[in-house]
């Protein structure tokens, strides 16, 4: 009797198998993960950390492709136009999917309308960085130096509308200076330019710059948060440095082209959740100063809400602070 029952259950499962498999586990092709900035920057580093884990969970290769240029717009636009079949996803951030709406003229994509949200990966505070050649030991001295030499200095970012541009433009507006802006293809080249002394200062997410700050090859002038980061307890906040309104936190998230089938989206989101639940992944992200989202904030709907809220929030800050849409 038992054997017969098992046999019947087995037959029923076998009959339902192909249909269930089609409905629940669409076959995935290797995935191209577009990183819209240069290799070695925070978007790249964060993207690669989760790509590796997602690849193992999904059983397909997740290949990172750096499509840098035009403040991330080139890579994000390519993802927006890609076939919505799960073979292309992109790492967006607070710049590409929020601030750029206010800072980039004629943005060729709509952060919400053109994308399906996979999920938020992590938030990372912004850092104000100086070249070792800058003779300042703290934020007060740095502000005095920039004010006194504004017409001779330059600052580097990943381009107009990037998180690094937003943070540095906010800093400049707060201290009332106009300084020459040098856009790069990501903040990894900004760090190299700071180290070599090609530029005087810049901004970056902790996930990009923290290792250089901790190694002392770049000067960390302030972290743009109210409390110090456990990943860099010796780095003073902007509040401690006397510039409390200098507050900027970026985030990175995964998006697929709008129209990607829901069953594929569900698998991508589940694989991202598995990555974030992996202690090795979370430890690596936290070591880079990143905060992982709470479980409710990991859901795709929460990312849609975040993008909407951040477009409004940064739009308001950009207008009020008089942050320019042009370099
Ligand atoms: N996240 C950086 C920015 O928006 C760029 C990068 O990741 O390289 O400025």
């Amino acid at each position: 009797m038992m054997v017969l029952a098992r046999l019947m259950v087995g037959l029923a499962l076998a009959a339902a198998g192909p249909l269930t498999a089609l409905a629940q586990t669409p076959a995935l092709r290797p995935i191209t993960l577009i990183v819209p900035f240069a290799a070695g920057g925070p978007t790249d580093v964060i993207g690669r950390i989760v790509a590796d884990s997602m690849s193992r969970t999904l059983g397909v290769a997740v290949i990172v492709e750096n499509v840098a240029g035009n403040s991330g717009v080139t890579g994000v636009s390519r993802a927006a136009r890609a076939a919505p079949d799960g073979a292309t996803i992109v790492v967006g951030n607070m710049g590409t999917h929020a601030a750029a709406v206010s800072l980039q003229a004629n943005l060729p994509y709509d952060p919400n309308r053109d994308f399906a949200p996979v999920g938020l990966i992590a938030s990372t505070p912004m850092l104000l960085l100086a070249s070792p050649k800058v003779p300042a030991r703290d934020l007060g001295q740095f502000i005095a130096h920039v004010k006194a030499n504004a017409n001779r200095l330059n600052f580097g970012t990943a381009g107009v509308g990037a998180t690094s541009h937003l943070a540095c433009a906010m800093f400049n507006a707060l201290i009332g200076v106009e300084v020459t802006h040098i856009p790069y293809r990501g903040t990894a080249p900004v760090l190299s330019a700071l180290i070599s002394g090609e530029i005087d200062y810049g901004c970056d997410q902790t996930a990009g710059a923290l290792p250089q700050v901790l190694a002392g090859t770049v000067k960390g002038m302030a972290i743009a948060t109210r409390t110090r980061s456990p990943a860099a307890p010796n780095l003073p906040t902007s509040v401690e440095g006397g510039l409390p309104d200098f507050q900027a936190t970026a985030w990175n998230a995964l998006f697929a082209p709008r129209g990607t089938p829901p069953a594929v989206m569900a698998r991508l989101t589940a694989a991202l959740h598995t990555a974030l639940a992996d202690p090795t992944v979370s430890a690596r992200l936290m070591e880079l100063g990143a905060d992982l989202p709470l479980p409710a904030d990991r859901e795709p709907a929460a990312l849609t809400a975040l993008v909407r809220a951040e477009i409004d929030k940064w739009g308001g800050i950009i207008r009020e602070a008089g942050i320019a849409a042009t370099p």
Side-chain angles (χ1 to χ4, degrees), residues 21-311:
L22 267 183
Q24 290 174 355
T25 53
L28 288 179
R29 290 164 38 210
I31 297 171
T32 297
L33 175 60
I34 294 180
V35 166
F37 296 102
T43 309
D44 181 70
V45 170
I46 290 173
R48 284 176 196 272
I49 292 172
V50 292
D52 186 45
S53 167
M54 287 175 73
S55 168
R56 273 180 274 122
T57 304
L58 294 168
V60 293
V62 179
I63 301 143
V64 173
E65 191 180 344
N66 296 90
V67 184
N70 191 15
S71 316
V73 171
T74 307
V76 176
S77 303
R78 185 184 296 183
R81 290 192 309 267
D85 56 5
T88 306
I89 53 178
V90 63
V91 194
N93 70 12
M94 177 270 265
T96 60
H97 281 70
V101 172
S102 300
L103 285 171
Q104 275 267 353
N106 309 318
L107 196 63
Y109 58 84
D110 181 306
N112 269 325
R113 197 193 54 219
D114 296 340
F115 294 94
V118 177
L120 181 62
I121 307 173
S123 298
T124 45
M126 299 299 301
L127 299 173
L128 177 64
L129 308 160
S131 167
K133 73 176 181 181
V134 173
R137 281 201 307 276
D138 58 32
L139 184 58
Q141 291 182 6
F142 181 69
I143 292 172
H145 176 74
V146 175
K147 281 183 163 176
N149 300 284
N151 56 353
R152 290 193 282 119
L153 301 183
N154 51 40
F155 71 101
T157 79
V160 173
T163 65
S164 47
H165 173 249
L166 178 70
C168 272
M170 179 191 255
F171 170 76
N172 291 343
L174 285 170
I175 68 166
V177 292
E178 278 182 28
V179 175
T180 304
H181 175 214
I182 317 273
Y184 292 83
R185 293 164 74 81
T187 38
V190 170
L191 287 182
S192 306
L194 285 169
I195 294 167
S196 71
E198 185 176 297
I199 54 172
D200 300 280
Y201 65 103
C203 293
D204 196 11
Q205 299 169 241
T206 53
L210 211 50
Q212 302 289 358
V213 170
L214 295 177
T217 49
V218 164
K219 283 184 172 179
M221 300 316 314
I223 183 164
T225 47
R226 299 201 183 281
T227 51
R228 291 192 183 202
S229 167
N234 295 330
L235 186 63
T237 67
S238 52
V239 179
E240 293 172 72
L243 198 64
D245 290 341
F246 181 47
Q247 297 292 319
T249 293
W251 42 264
N252 286 89
L254 292 181
F255 299 87
R258 173 69 69 191
T260 302
V264 175
M265 291 304 299
R267 288 189 68 185
L268 294 172
T269 298
L272 174 60
H273 289 177
T274 303
L276 295 179
D278 178 339
T280 317
V281 169
S282 54
R284 180 87 189 95
L285 289 169
M286 288 191 294
E287 190 180 284
L288 294 170
D291 288 315
L292 268 64
L294 297 171
D297 296 334
R298 296 179 188 191
E299 295 307 322
L303 178 55
T304 302
L306 176 73
V307 168
R308 288 213 179 96
E310 289 276 290
I311 288 173

